[in-house]
Amino acid sequence: MSDYRDGTRCVRAGLPDPVPGEPFLPGPVLAAPYHLDPWRGPEAAANGYGRPDNPTRRLLEAAIGELEGGDCRVFASGQAAITGVLLALLRPGDTVLLPADGYFPVRAFATDTLAGIGVHVRFVPTAGPYPSLDGVRLVLVETPANPGLDVVDLRELTARAHAAGALVAVDNTTATPLGQRPLDLGADLVVASGTKALTGHSDLLLGYVATRSAELLDPLASWRTVTGAVPGAFDAWLAHRSLATLDLRLARQTGNAEAVARALAGRADVTGLRWPGLPDDPAHPVASAQMRRVPGVLAFDLGSADRVARFLDAARLVNAATSFGGVHTTADRRAQWGDDTPPGFVRLSCGVEDPADLVADIVAALDAAGPA
Ligand SMILES: *Cc1c(COP(=O)(O)O)cnc(C)c1O
């Protein structure tokens, strides 16, 4: 599949070879235990028990693995995948670098749980500057970072980390494997939430890790089995079904984000606009060199919590909701969840609506929202 372009790879990813009379994508296999061979036991078949083994999950892992260019294991959520990597690979006394501006629950987990078991936790802004990486065991970066959308040069960072003996894990949630392939850029591990644009229908939670190193994959797979952080078969099947349209959805979302960014860029009542696809965005030089497409997510400030509420009340095509990357346009005032963004800061995630309708709706809602 690797010689095909994005749309083809998404449609075909992880599908079994055609068998007359069988569906393209087999339905979810809903099983806790499976029948065992009374004589040979678990040796006789690939499936023994649902926590380690599920064929629906394996097909999804083959699909995501193809798109990322590595071996994949899926988890019950992005948090399950990321905390799994941190807990399975770090030991007391190790030092880990995390993004100071990254996904808030990961930062909270690091300061509460990791620091509590004796891991040294350091926070670095995604855009740098990065300190000396000597003595660091793992660098986890998010690029583009959620929600601020800064980026880091992965080729440069992974070269520096490897020279210092550190591993690099890249949270690829916002970009998706069509936006960038961190393993090609030198990363040891990809971690991500599949809840967002990867699956894109706002109907499931999913996480995954991908790597080319069996030495890293084996402890993570064992970690998943012993902690039980597995997605159910139905969610795995829904996720796989959604992958077929990833290229189409992202193309529309990116186009919509570009149209919205251009409409917002001219407005004095919208400050701090960030979209890495805008030529004058601080993240644009690195993003355009390492990313294959820019995500459909923008960030900006409307000045106050009240003005954000008035904007959302007036908009007909923008749903107030957290999460992002879905087919419906959504906006989230991040500060309401207790993270450290300003009160009027909004992360806007463009869906797949018609671009003219969406821009008209957003512009009208901003006008209706009045001054801060
Ligand atoms: C949403 C998100 C996560 C967590 O994923 P869940 O599926 O919600 O557990 C991790 N990292 C980033 C960048 C995210 O946006």
Side-chain angles (χ1 to χ4, degrees):
M1 281 297 128
S2 54
D3 45 344
Y4 287 113
R5 292 171 183 79
D6 287 357
T8 316
R9 292 162 60 234
C10 290
V11 165
R12 292 276 166 186
L15 294 188
D17 290 337
V19 175
E22 295 294 325
F24 294 10
L25 175 65
V29 175
L30 303 165
Y34 304 79
H35 289 296
L36 285 181
D37 180 311
W39 297 95
R40 295 173 56 217
E43 299 301 308
N47 304 314
Y49 186 57
R51 185 151 35 77
D53 306 318
N54 181 278
T56 311
R57 211 158 68 202
R58 286 197 296 271
L59 288 180
L60 175 63
E61 290 170 343
I64 299 174
E66 275 176 35
L67 298 179
E68 287 285 4
D71 286 319
C72 169
R73 292 294 178 274
V74 291
F75 285 73
S77 67
Q79 278 296 99
I82 296 166
T83 57
V85 163
L86 295 172
L87 288 169
L89 300 183
L90 296 171
R91 295 287 171 268
D94 283 348
T95 297
V96 63
L97 255 54
L98 296 171
D101 47 351
Y103 189 61
F104 191 71
V106 170
R107 288 188 272 150
F109 168 81
T111 33
D112 297 346
T113 305
L114 286 183
I117 59 171
V119 173
H120 304 295
V121 178
R122 307 263 138 77
F123 292 102
V124 185
T126 297
Y130 285 77
S132 162
L133 301 178
D134 291 340
V136 172
R137 165 85 175 127
L138 175 69
V139 183
L140 170 68
V141 293
E142 242 179 77
T143 181
N146 170 22
L149 302 175
D150 267 329
V151 302
V152 56
D153 184 331
L154 288 177
R155 279 191 197 85
E156 192 186 304
L157 181 74
T158 53
R160 276 190 60 195
H162 291 160
L167 294 168
V168 176
V170 176
D171 186 327
N172 209 24
T173 303
T174 308
T176 84
L178 296 196
Q180 77 198 351
R181 300 224 306 178
L183 300 177
D184 288 348
L185 299 169
D188 303 284
L189 287 157
V190 172
V191 295
S193 170
T195 310
K196 319 289 172 54
L198 185 78
T199 61
H201 289 73
S202 309
D203 54 6
L204 60 90
L205 289 159
L206 184 79
Y208 69 88
V209 302
T211 179
R212 292 174 183 162
S213 157
E215 228 174 293
L216 292 173
L217 192 68
D218 291 348
L220 294 171
S222 305
W223 174 271
R224 185 185 67 173
T225 296
V226 298
T227 59
V230 290
F234 189 74
D235 284 359
W237 175 80
L238 266 183
H240 199 161
R241 184 182 188 273
S242 302
L243 284 184
T245 56
L246 178 60
D247 173 63
L248 287 172
R249 288 185 279 110
L250 291 180
R252 177 59 79 96
Q253 287 172 329
T254 302
N256 279 350
E258 176 162 18
V260 171
R262 290 192 191 290
L264 298 186
R267 294 186 69 109
D269 58 353
V270 175
T271 59
L273 175 66
R274 294 297 307 269
W275 185 62
L278 284 175
D280 57 354
D281 189 276
H284 187 260
V286 174
S288 51
Q290 86 183 1
M291 298 190 70
R292 301 172 62 239
R293 47 177 105 194
V294 181
V297 185
L298 306 87
F300 50 84
D301 200 319
L302 293 185
S304 71
D306 276 4
R307 183 152 187 264
V308 176
R310 292 199 300 275
F311 164 68
L312 290 170
D313 259 350
R316 293 193 299 164
L317 300 181
V318 183
N319 292 333
T322 194
S323 195
F324 58 94
V327 294
H328 316 89
T329 295
T330 58
D332 194 21
R333 192 177 71 78
R334 290 299 305 160
Q336 71 189 319
W337 304 98
D339 84 6
D340 47 7
T341 52
F345 176 93
V346 174
R347 182 186 61 210
L348 181 88
S349 171
C350 294
V352 300
E353 298 88 351
D354 180 90
D357 289 342
L358 187 61
V359 169
D361 188 64
I362 288 173
V363 166
L366 282 173
D367 290 343

PDB file of all heavy atoms in Angstrom, residues 7 55 77 82 108 143 147 159 169 173 230 239 256 300 309 321 329 334 336 368:
ATOM      1  N   GLY A   7      -5.435   9.131  -0.325  1.00  0.00           N
ATOM      2  CA  GLY A   7      -6.829   8.703  -0.408  1.00  0.00           C
ATOM      3  C   GLY A   7      -6.938   7.204  -0.599  1.00  0.00           C
ATOM      4  O   GLY A   7      -7.800   6.534   0.008  1.00  0.00           O
ATOM      5  N   PRO A  55      -9.587  -9.906  16.929  1.00  0.00           N
ATOM      6  CA  PRO A  55      -9.265  -9.753  15.504  1.00  0.00           C
ATOM      7  C   PRO A  55      -9.703  -8.412  14.919  1.00  0.00           C
ATOM      8  O   PRO A  55      -9.040  -7.898  14.010  1.00  0.00           O
ATOM      9  CB  PRO A  55     -10.022 -10.917  14.840  1.00  0.00           C
ATOM     10  CG  PRO A  55     -11.044 -11.346  15.825  1.00  0.00           C
ATOM     11  CD  PRO A  55     -10.517 -11.002  17.178  1.00  0.00           C
ATOM     12  N   SER A  77      -8.158   4.859  24.940  1.00  0.00           N
ATOM     13  CA  SER A  77      -8.262   6.309  24.734  1.00  0.00           C
ATOM     14  C   SER A  77      -6.847   6.834  24.497  1.00  0.00           C
ATOM     15  O   SER A  77      -5.860   6.113  24.738  1.00  0.00           O
ATOM     16  CB  SER A  77      -8.871   7.000  25.962  1.00  0.00           C
ATOM     17  OG  SER A  77      -7.972   6.905  27.058  1.00  0.00           O
ATOM     18  N   ILE A  82      -1.006   7.359  26.143  1.00  0.00           N
ATOM     19  CA  ILE A  82       0.092   8.247  26.563  1.00  0.00           C
ATOM     20  C   ILE A  82       0.559   7.908  27.976  1.00  0.00           C
ATOM     21  O   ILE A  82       1.756   7.779  28.236  1.00  0.00           O
ATOM     22  CB  ILE A  82      -0.344   9.719  26.461  1.00  0.00           C
ATOM     23  CG1 ILE A  82      -0.618  10.056  24.988  1.00  0.00           C
ATOM     24  CG2 ILE A  82       0.711  10.648  27.046  1.00  0.00           C
ATOM     25  CD1 ILE A  82      -1.380  11.356  24.780  1.00  0.00           C
ATOM     26  N   ALA A 108      -1.095  17.360  33.846  1.00  0.00           N
ATOM     27  CA  ALA A 108      -1.592  17.132  35.210  1.00  0.00           C
ATOM     28  C   ALA A 108      -1.171  15.738  35.694  1.00  0.00           C
ATOM     29  O   ALA A 108      -0.738  15.566  36.840  1.00  0.00           O
ATOM     30  CB  ALA A 108      -3.120  17.268  35.238  1.00  0.00           C
ATOM     31  N   THR A 143       3.136  18.186  18.405  1.00  0.00           N
ATOM     32  CA  THR A 143       3.359  19.142  17.325  1.00  0.00           C
ATOM     33  C   THR A 143       2.410  18.857  16.178  1.00  0.00           C
ATOM     34  O   THR A 143       2.437  17.748  15.660  1.00  0.00           O
ATOM     35  CB  THR A 143       4.842  19.156  16.880  1.00  0.00           C
ATOM     36  OG1 THR A 143       5.027  20.113  15.831  1.00  0.00           O
ATOM     37  CG2 THR A 143       5.357  17.805  16.418  1.00  0.00           C
ATOM     38  N   PRO A 147      -3.607  23.327  22.990  1.00  0.00           N
ATOM     39  CA  PRO A 147      -4.382  24.038  21.966  1.00  0.00           C
ATOM     40  C   PRO A 147      -3.657  25.184  21.264  1.00  0.00           C
ATOM     41  O   PRO A 147      -4.242  25.807  20.389  1.00  0.00           O
ATOM     42  CB  PRO A 147      -5.525  24.620  22.799  1.00  0.00           C
ATOM     43  CG  PRO A 147      -4.865  24.989  24.097  1.00  0.00           C
ATOM     44  CD  PRO A 147      -3.787  23.948  24.326  1.00  0.00           C
ATOM     45  N   ALA A 159      17.417  14.295  16.286  1.00  0.00           N
ATOM     46  CA  ALA A 159      18.877  14.139  16.149  1.00  0.00           C
ATOM     47  C   ALA A 159      19.569  14.512  17.457  1.00  0.00           C
ATOM     48  O   ALA A 159      20.447  13.793  17.947  1.00  0.00           O
ATOM     49  CB  ALA A 159      19.395  14.998  14.991  1.00  0.00           C
ATOM     50  N   ALA A 169       9.101  10.654  21.797  1.00  0.00           N
ATOM     51  CA  ALA A 169       7.731  10.262  21.473  1.00  0.00           C
ATOM     52  C   ALA A 169       6.996  11.498  20.983  1.00  0.00           C
ATOM     53  O   ALA A 169       7.126  12.579  21.572  1.00  0.00           O
ATOM     54  CB  ALA A 169       7.021   9.684  22.703  1.00  0.00           C
ATOM     55  N   THR A 173      -1.736  13.582  17.524  1.00  0.00           N
ATOM     56  CA  THR A 173      -3.198  13.710  17.516  1.00  0.00           C
ATOM     57  C   THR A 173      -3.684  14.783  16.552  1.00  0.00           C
ATOM     58  O   THR A 173      -4.570  14.549  15.722  1.00  0.00           O
ATOM     59  CB  THR A 173      -3.700  14.079  18.929  1.00  0.00           C
ATOM     60  OG1 THR A 173      -3.256  13.085  19.849  1.00  0.00           O
ATOM     61  CG2 THR A 173      -5.211  14.189  18.965  1.00  0.00           C
ATOM     62  N   VAL A 230      -7.798  -1.609  26.871  1.00  0.00           N
ATOM     63  CA  VAL A 230      -8.103  -1.948  25.476  1.00  0.00           C
ATOM     64  C   VAL A 230      -9.430  -1.324  25.033  1.00  0.00           C
ATOM     65  O   VAL A 230     -10.364  -1.204  25.818  1.00  0.00           O
ATOM     66  CB  VAL A 230      -8.186  -3.485  25.280  1.00  0.00           C
ATOM     67  CG1 VAL A 230      -6.817  -4.109  25.418  1.00  0.00           C
ATOM     68  CG2 VAL A 230      -9.180  -4.118  26.250  1.00  0.00           C
ATOM     69  N   ALA A 239     -13.969   2.797  14.290  1.00  0.00           N
ATOM     70  CA  ALA A 239     -12.774   3.592  13.979  1.00  0.00           C
ATOM     71  C   ALA A 239     -12.220   3.187  12.609  1.00  0.00           C
ATOM     72  O   ALA A 239     -11.883   4.041  11.789  1.00  0.00           O
ATOM     73  CB  ALA A 239     -11.713   3.391  15.062  1.00  0.00           C
ATOM     74  N   ASN A 256     -11.542  24.498   4.991  1.00  0.00           N
ATOM     75  CA  ASN A 256     -12.410  25.343   5.816  1.00  0.00           C
ATOM     76  C   ASN A 256     -11.596  26.194   6.787  1.00  0.00           C
ATOM     77  O   ASN A 256     -11.883  27.377   7.000  1.00  0.00           O
ATOM     78  CB  ASN A 256     -13.420  24.479   6.583  1.00  0.00           C
ATOM     79  CG  ASN A 256     -14.610  24.096   5.711  1.00  0.00           C
ATOM     80  OD1 ASN A 256     -14.782  24.614   4.608  1.00  0.00           O
ATOM     81  ND2 ASN A 256     -15.436  23.171   6.198  1.00  0.00           N
ATOM     82  N   PHE A 300      -7.709  31.320  18.759  1.00  0.00           N
ATOM     83  CA  PHE A 300      -7.759  32.791  18.806  1.00  0.00           C
ATOM     84  C   PHE A 300      -8.382  33.218  20.121  1.00  0.00           C
ATOM     85  O   PHE A 300      -8.855  32.375  20.904  1.00  0.00           O
ATOM     86  CB  PHE A 300      -8.550  33.363  17.613  1.00  0.00           C
ATOM     87  CG  PHE A 300      -9.902  32.744  17.388  1.00  0.00           C
ATOM     88  CD1 PHE A 300     -11.018  33.179  18.093  1.00  0.00           C
ATOM     89  CD2 PHE A 300     -10.052  31.710  16.468  1.00  0.00           C
ATOM     90  CE1 PHE A 300     -12.262  32.606  17.872  1.00  0.00           C
ATOM     91  CE2 PHE A 300     -11.300  31.131  16.244  1.00  0.00           C
ATOM     92  CZ  PHE A 300     -12.410  31.577  16.949  1.00  0.00           C
ATOM     93  N   ALA A 309     -19.291  33.209  24.832  1.00  0.00           N
ATOM     94  CA  ALA A 309     -20.645  32.655  24.994  1.00  0.00           C
ATOM     95  C   ALA A 309     -21.620  33.319  24.020  1.00  0.00           C
ATOM     96  O   ALA A 309     -22.472  32.646  23.417  1.00  0.00           O
ATOM     97  CB  ALA A 309     -21.114  32.828  26.439  1.00  0.00           C
ATOM     98  N   ALA A 321     -18.410  22.617  22.179  1.00  0.00           N
ATOM     99  CA  ALA A 321     -18.033  21.261  22.587  1.00  0.00           C
ATOM    100  C   ALA A 321     -16.529  21.204  22.728  1.00  0.00           C
ATOM    101  O   ALA A 321     -15.806  21.926  22.042  1.00  0.00           O
ATOM    102  CB  ALA A 321     -18.483  20.221  21.551  1.00  0.00           C
ATOM    103  N   THR A 329     -18.363  21.406  12.907  1.00  0.00           N
ATOM    104  CA  THR A 329     -17.514  22.471  13.457  1.00  0.00           C
ATOM    105  C   THR A 329     -17.853  22.676  14.931  1.00  0.00           C
ATOM    106  O   THR A 329     -19.031  22.746  15.307  1.00  0.00           O
ATOM    107  CB  THR A 329     -17.705  23.776  12.664  1.00  0.00           C
ATOM    108  OG1 THR A 329     -17.232  23.546  11.334  1.00  0.00           O
ATOM    109  CG2 THR A 329     -16.931  24.928  13.280  1.00  0.00           C
ATOM    110  N   ARG A 334     -11.197  26.902  26.292  1.00  0.00           N
ATOM    111  CA  ARG A 334     -10.402  25.934  27.055  1.00  0.00           C
ATOM    112  C   ARG A 334     -10.372  26.253  28.557  1.00  0.00           C
ATOM    113  O   ARG A 334     -10.278  25.341  29.381  1.00  0.00           O
ATOM    114  CB  ARG A 334      -8.969  25.879  26.511  1.00  0.00           C
ATOM    115  CG  ARG A 334      -8.845  25.247  25.143  1.00  0.00           C
ATOM    116  CD  ARG A 334      -9.305  23.806  25.134  1.00  0.00           C
ATOM    117  NE  ARG A 334      -8.614  23.008  26.123  1.00  0.00           N
ATOM    118  CZ  ARG A 334      -9.064  21.842  26.599  1.00  0.00           C
ATOM    119  NH1 ARG A 334     -10.206  21.347  26.190  1.00  0.00           N
ATOM    120  NH2 ARG A 334      -8.384  21.178  27.500  1.00  0.00           N
ATOM    121  N   GLN A 336     -12.544  26.998  30.567  1.00  0.00           N
ATOM    122  CA  GLN A 336     -13.635  26.451  31.379  1.00  0.00           C
ATOM    123  C   GLN A 336     -13.293  25.072  31.947  1.00  0.00           C
ATOM    124  O   GLN A 336     -13.947  24.587  32.854  1.00  0.00           O
ATOM    125  CB  GLN A 336     -14.927  26.377  30.556  1.00  0.00           C
ATOM    126  CG  GLN A 336     -14.930  25.314  29.473  1.00  0.00           C
ATOM    127  CD  GLN A 336     -16.138  25.436  28.554  1.00  0.00           C
ATOM    128  OE1 GLN A 336     -17.239  25.691  29.001  1.00  0.00           O
ATOM    129  NE2 GLN A 336     -15.921  25.271  27.264  1.00  0.00           N
ATOM    130  N   ALA A 368     -22.542  39.607  15.726  1.00  0.00           N
ATOM    131  CA  ALA A 368     -23.637  39.606  16.695  1.00  0.00           C
ATOM    132  C   ALA A 368     -23.112  39.625  18.138  1.00  0.00           C
ATOM    133  O   ALA A 368     -23.785  40.105  19.048  1.00  0.00           O
ATOM    134  CB  ALA A 368     -24.518  38.378  16.488  1.00  0.00           C
TER     135      ALA A 368
END
